[in-house]
Amino acid sequence: MMTDPWDRFFAAVAEEIPEALQLRRQLHRAPCISGEEGPTRDLVLQALGSPEWDPVADTGGLVRIGPSDGPAIALRAELDALPILEETGAAFASTNGAMHACGHDVHIAAAVAVARAAQRVALPVALLLILQPREEAYPSGARDICESGLLEQHGVREVFGAHVHPRVPAGGIAIGEGAVNAAADEFGIAVRGIGGHAAYPHHARDPIVALAAVIGAMQMILNRRIDPMHPAVLSFGTIHAGSAANVIPSEARARGSMRTMHPRDRAFLHTEIPRVASEVAAAHGCSAEVEIISGEPVLYNHPEMSRSLMRALEGRAVRVVEPMRSCGADDFSYYTERLPGVMMFVGVARSEHEPALHTSAFLPGDEAVSDIAMAYAISVRTAFGIGVGAGSGAEAA
């Protein structure tokens, strides 16, 4: 007979997996896009037995399990799906034009398994389940939750997140110390010229040619103005101009994304992109206007917590693989700006041709639910043991 509450907790998590798999299918079959996650939140609350909860960030919620006062350890579960038409062929595939193409259904189901286990076993620390909306869209749900003051009211001491990843081998968990995801911002560029007939370009000021030059110049900023040892990416995702092949339009627009790992590089690009766009456009007789939308900060894993968690995972025969770092972004970074935290990347790659995140064929296996649930359970146990305490993750390093 097990007397240690943590042993009972781990056993209870394992017992909750079958129900969690059923929940995963329910969630996957009926996804809700960013800003419309209310039905998903309500389904999760129902799975938890309709407990008391705090509404937050419009369609999100916080559920506290365990002691009603004192410190808490938080687990994040993202509620939203993407506006993608699913093409997985799964029996539980979505048919409503949205899709859990980033694995959020897996994350939610795993977190619910841990939360239900915590309801059954009296742990010496409270668990706060963060049901977060708008991970995939601005304004960030994580930012709104952090600014609500509720994390402080609940005495959150540490926070953990997990994300399936098709570039990490199935069954493996990747944890890196320090920066693991980039800061992500969006920008829009509008180049304005003088429209005209395609046969008489000398009577016009072609904004398409000017915008093409601006796009090329943006890549030169990275090549020649950013330290080559610093990861940084500028990618253009949309270009719009004109309405006919024989007409030079008066305006051309583009939108893109910038990713940086270093705060100085981020600040530099915020000032340099408008300057370069304006001057290059002017060289073509045009003008340029730039809008920059600030997004997530760098996602920073607390070093001591990361090391302790890796040791704890290995101690329970969980395969820890090479750290996963990328210029991807996740608004979990807002939590780690305020609190010691760790993001784990959980492997779902069953072959080298595993479909990518945010594609219509991405479908993690059921085993990922169990992998994340156990990783979350071990995270809670580890955090209770080391007691890093509240404060900025970056400051605590």
Side-chain angles (χ1 to χ4, degrees):
M1 179 178 178
M2 292 180 290
T3 57
D4 183 271
W6 294 105
D7 288 340
R8 296 199 303 275
F9 176 55
F10 291 130
V13 170
E15 292 165 2
E16 290 291 343
I17 296 304
E19 290 289 335
L21 294 180
Q22 293 303 312
L23 176 62
R24 185 265 173 111
R25 282 162 170 70
Q26 285 182 275
L27 294 166
H28 194 93
R29 188 177 289 115
C32 299
I33 61 172
S34 303
E36 301 178 10
E37 304 95 339
T40 299
R41 177 203 60 208
D42 293 345
L43 184 60
V44 172
L45 293 172
Q46 181 181 350
L48 293 172
S50 301
E52 292 186 5
W53 59 286
D54 296 322
V56 69
D58 298 325
T59 53
L62 304 180
V63 181
R64 186 182 180 104
I65 300 166
S68 59
D69 55 12
I73 297 169
L75 304 180
R76 192 278 296 264
E78 319 96 296
L79 299 175
D80 53 341
L82 289 155
I84 294 175
L85 184 63
E86 183 165 354
E87 297 178 309
T88 63
F92 52 93
S94 166
T95 58
N96 68 1
M99 177 188 174
H100 274 296
C102 203
H104 293 181
D105 55 324
V106 175
H107 307 163
I108 297 168
V112 168
V114 175
R116 283 169 58 101
Q119 289 175 324
R120 294 167 51 190
V121 178
L123 298 178
V125 65
L127 176 68
L128 188 73
L129 181 59
I130 300 173
L131 303 177
Q132 183 205 302
R134 286 180 277 111
E135 192 277 324
E136 300 287 3
Y138 297 133
S140 159
R143 186 197 66 183
D144 289 352
I145 289 171
C146 287
E147 292 178 353
S148 72
L150 288 172
L151 299 181
E152 289 79 8
Q153 289 180 32
H154 280 284
V156 174
R157 196 174 67 181
E158 296 96 3
V159 60
F160 293 92
H163 205 298
V164 293
H165 206 289
R167 298 297 174 261
V168 177
I173 295 183
I175 300 172
E177 300 176 32
V180 294
N181 267 175
D185 305 309
E186 292 185 1
F187 60 89
I189 301 175
V191 176
R192 298 182 176 89
I194 300 174
H197 196 293
Y200 310 108
H202 55 299
H203 293 314
R205 295 293 180 267
D206 194 334
I208 294 178
V209 173
L211 178 59
V214 168
I215 291 172
M218 292 300 153
Q219 302 308 314
M220 293 305 296
I221 297 176
L222 299 185
N223 293 341
R224 289 295 178 265
R225 302 296 303 281
I226 299 290
D227 186 333
M229 301 303 291
H230 291 189
V233 176
L234 281 176
S235 294
F236 285 81
T238 69
I239 300 176
H240 298 285
S243 58
N246 61 348
V247 177
I248 295 173
S250 60
E251 183 175 276
R253 291 177 173 269
R255 296 196 68 83
S257 173
M258 74 176 82
R259 309 293 176 106
T260 53
M261 285 286 199
H262 293 264
R264 287 184 181 178
D265 294 341
R266 188 184 193 189
F268 172 74
L269 290 176
H270 277 227
T271 59
E272 194 70 356
I273 286 175
R275 186 189 71 79
V276 169
S278 178
E279 293 183 3
V280 171
H284 290 76
C286 299
S287 64
E289 181 179 334
V290 175
E291 175 194 25
I292 295 178
I293 302 173
S294 293
E296 301 91 336
V298 172
L299 201 170
Y300 185 91
N301 276 351
H302 189 281
E304 181 187 351
M305 287 174 59
S306 298
R307 291 190 294 267
S308 296
L309 182 53
M310 283 188 281
R311 288 193 297 268
L313 289 166
E314 290 172 338
R316 289 191 169 267
V318 176
R319 183 159 61 108
V320 177
V321 299
E322 288 295 313
M324 173 71 195
R325 304 181 195 276
S326 78
C327 284
D330 191 301
D331 68 1
F332 187 77
S333 57
Y334 283 108
Y335 302 114
T336 63
E337 266 196 327
R338 291 172 174 253
L339 295 160
V342 176
M343 168 61 80
M344 302 171 279
F345 295 103
V346 179
V348 295
R350 292 157 290 196
S351 76
E352 61 183 57
H353 304 296
E354 194 73 31
L357 296 165
H358 290 208
T359 65
S360 61
F362 182 67
L363 187 69
D366 281 345
E367 62 274 10
V369 174
S370 178
D371 292 343
I372 292 178
M374 190 53 62
Y376 267 156
I378 295 170
S379 298
V380 174
R381 175 68 182 96
T382 303
F384 176 76
I386 63 175
V388 172
S392 166
E395 291 174 358

